[in-house]
Every structure is written in structure tokens, then in C-alpha cells.
Amino acid sequence: CAYTISIQTGCVDRAGTDANIDIFFSSFQGRLLPFYNIDNKDDNFEKCQLDTFDLQGDCLPNEDKICRMIVQRDNSGRYQDWYIDWIQIIGAGDGPQKFNVDAWLDNDNRSKEIDLCNG
């Protein structure tokens, strides 16, 4: 199935990153949608930038919806820290699910989880 993932990098000083980014979404029924080393050949994840990625992943049943996200970065590149405003995913037949991150991924916290499954 086709998915569109949009990521808004924050507008704070040094918000952008050169690190490799992985995102894992999961559904109410526990299905996992992993996306590794997200890249669209542009200079992604720069300060104040909105990046959009058209990706393929497993299809979810119509009655199942994405409700959880984990985003993580590695230590590659010259600038690894990253400030994320939000991440949104739109799937085949599924409306947008937006995750407000508003957080740094840095050496102390290289991943961020947001769980909307329970309310």
C-alpha cells in the first residue's frame, strides 16, 4: 500500500539533522509499519523544512488505524541532533494521523514514542 509521510523540522537554532531516520508506526490491532532510512534524495530534515515521502508498506485492514509512532535517528552525519515539530502519515483509505512531537532527538534521547492508541 502507498503511504505519504510528512515531517516538519522545527525552526529553532540547529534544528536540522544529517542523521539517518527510521520511523515505526503501529495500529490499534498491533500491526507494525516500519520505514527505514527515510530519504527522498533532497536535502532532508533541515531547519523549518517540511519533507514529504511517498513510501510503500503493508496494507492495514479497513477497520484498523495507525495510532502509535516511534521515530529514531542514528549518529551518522556531521549534525545528528534534530528538533521535530510533527510527523503525519496518510495511508491507503485512511485519513491523516498527525503526531505532534515538539521534541529534540539528541544523544540523550535518540528516539521518541507517541502513543495515541489508548485515547
Side-chain angles (χ1 to χ4, degrees), residues 23-106:
I23 303 178
F24 307 91
F25 295 98
S26 62
S27 70
F28 282 105
Q29 295 180 5
R31 289 181 172 84
L32 182 65
L33 292 172
F35 298 99
Y36 298 100
N37 196 15
I38 293 176
D39 189 9
N40 64 8
K41 304 305 179 203
D42 290 335
D43 190 8
N44 300 307
F45 316 122
E46 297 299 319
K47 179 180 174 181
C48 296
Q49 186 168 298
L50 176 63
D51 294 296
T52 301
F53 306 90
D54 294 316
L55 304 168
Q56 294 292 315
D58 292 340
C59 296
L60 297 178
N62 289 338
E63 68 278 2
D64 201 6
K65 303 293 181 205
I66 293 169
C67 60
R68 182 172 172 251
M69 178 212 61
I70 299 171
V71 57
Q72 65 185 26
R73 67 160 184 89
D74 64 11
N75 281 329
S76 66
R78 184 172 177 190
Y79 302 102
Q80 296 93 29
D81 292 353
W82 184 30
Y83 190 88
I84 310 167
D85 277 344
W86 53 264
I87 295 174
Q88 176 178 277
I89 184 169
I90 301 172
D94 195 10
Q97 179 60 277
K98 187 175 182 180
F99 298 89
N100 292 312
V101 179
D102 295 320
W104 282 100
L105 298 188
D106 55 23

